[in-house]
Amino acid sequence: DADVTQTPRNRITKTGKRIMLECSQTKGHDRMYWYRQDPGLGLRLIYYSFDVKDINKGEISDGYSVSRQAQAKFSLSLESAIPNQTALYFCATSDTNGVQPQHFGDGTRLSIL
Amino acid sequence: QKEVEQDPGPLSVPEGAIVSLNCTYSNSAFQYFMWYRQYSRKGPELLMYTYSSGNKEDGRFTAQVDKSSKYISLFIRDSQPSDSATYLCAMSAASGNTPLVFGKGTRLSVIA
């Protein structure tokens, strides 16, 4: 089983719908992150959480919200989806104690029509 | 100026070539440097992790950091078609209290 699991892997939906992307991890890491990846723009940080009670905005948080339900679970919501939110979304985790590399899930491909 | 600059490519090389991938950065507080490899339809995976200046070698891969020039490199020797992927650099200050800063990635194709 993957250490960082994202669901769903693919989603097609319509403008205005509420969407939730879920991430769960078995690595025991405290820190979790949500990114979106667009061609030519690279990875852009949406939100991150350094522990269950900590939520921080990233570079592009407008139009998104998150919930850290437990150490192992971090979900990303699009309250009212719009077409320019069509992208590849990645969840990542990292350990605490200094600078640690991030471990990524395999992404959710989201298309908003 | 972005904190981390990385040429997006694409870079196309013949099998067996030596590949050089590079990133420049502007924040002198960066001390930790990483390279990730991302295959199509997969998440990035950590390839190399270095601290401060110097070289680190792992098989066919060598990571090099020149802090005086704010320049990092990843060299791939004897490149293989299986090395075809997007390579992202990432870096962080010593505190570890902020997320990694990523380059946009360089797409590499190794042609058999």
Side-chain angles (χ1 to χ4, degrees), chain A residues 32-36 44-49 55-67 74-77 90 92, chain B residues 99:
Chain A
M32 298 187 75
Y33 312 81
W34 275 105
Y35 292 89
R36 64 177 281 177
R44 291 185 290 168
L45 184 62
I46 305 172
Y47 272 96
Y48 63 101
S49 168
I55 300 290
N56 303 282
K57 292 183 177 181
E59 180 185 352
I60 52 159
S61 59
D62 286 350
Y64 301 95
S65 62
V66 291
S67 174
F74 192 35
S75 60
L76 175 72
S77 293
F90 286 104

Side-chain angles (χ1 to χ4, degrees), chain B residues 7-102:
Chain B
D7 188 332
L11 181 62
S12 184
V13 301
E15 183 176 357
I18 296 174
V19 176
S20 172
L21 303 168
N22 311 295
C23 288
T24 59
Y25 62 94
S26 59
N27 188 344
S28 58
F30 288 150
Q31 299 269 6
Y32 295 84
F33 304 92
M34 303 171 200
W35 285 96
Y36 284 79
R37 178 176 61 196
Q38 183 179 16
Y39 290 117
S40 181
R41 301 183 186 280
K42 302 287 280 184
E45 58 177 339
L46 182 68
L47 195 58
M48 299 285 280
Y49 182 0
T50 56
Y51 169 70
S52 195
S53 286
N55 293 356
K56 182 175 182 179
E57 188 172 321
D58 183 0
R60 296 184 296 109
F61 299 89
T62 299
Q64 193 172 82
V65 175
D66 180 350
K67 289 188 66 184
S68 63
S69 301
K70 298 190 180 68
Y71 189 88
I72 68 170
S73 300
L74 177 71
F75 297 97
I76 307 174
R77 290 184 300 281
D78 187 25
S79 56
Q80 302 295 309
S82 59
D83 295 327
S84 298
T86 296
Y87 291 81
L88 300 96
C89 62
M91 46 198 81
S92 177
S95 68
N97 291 328
T98 54
L100 297 177
V101 179
F102 284 86

Side-chain angles (χ1 to χ4, degrees), chain A residues 13-20 62-65 76-86 89 110 112-113:
Chain A
T13 192
K14 294 181 178 180
T15 298
K17 294 291 188 180
R18 184 178 188 275
I19 301 157
M20 180 180 287
D62 286 350
Y64 301 95
S65 62
L76 175 72
S77 293
L78 288 69
E79 296 302 325
S80 180
I82 55 177
N84 76 1
Q85 292 176 313
T86 292
Y89 289 83
L110 178 62
I112 300 163
L113 306 178

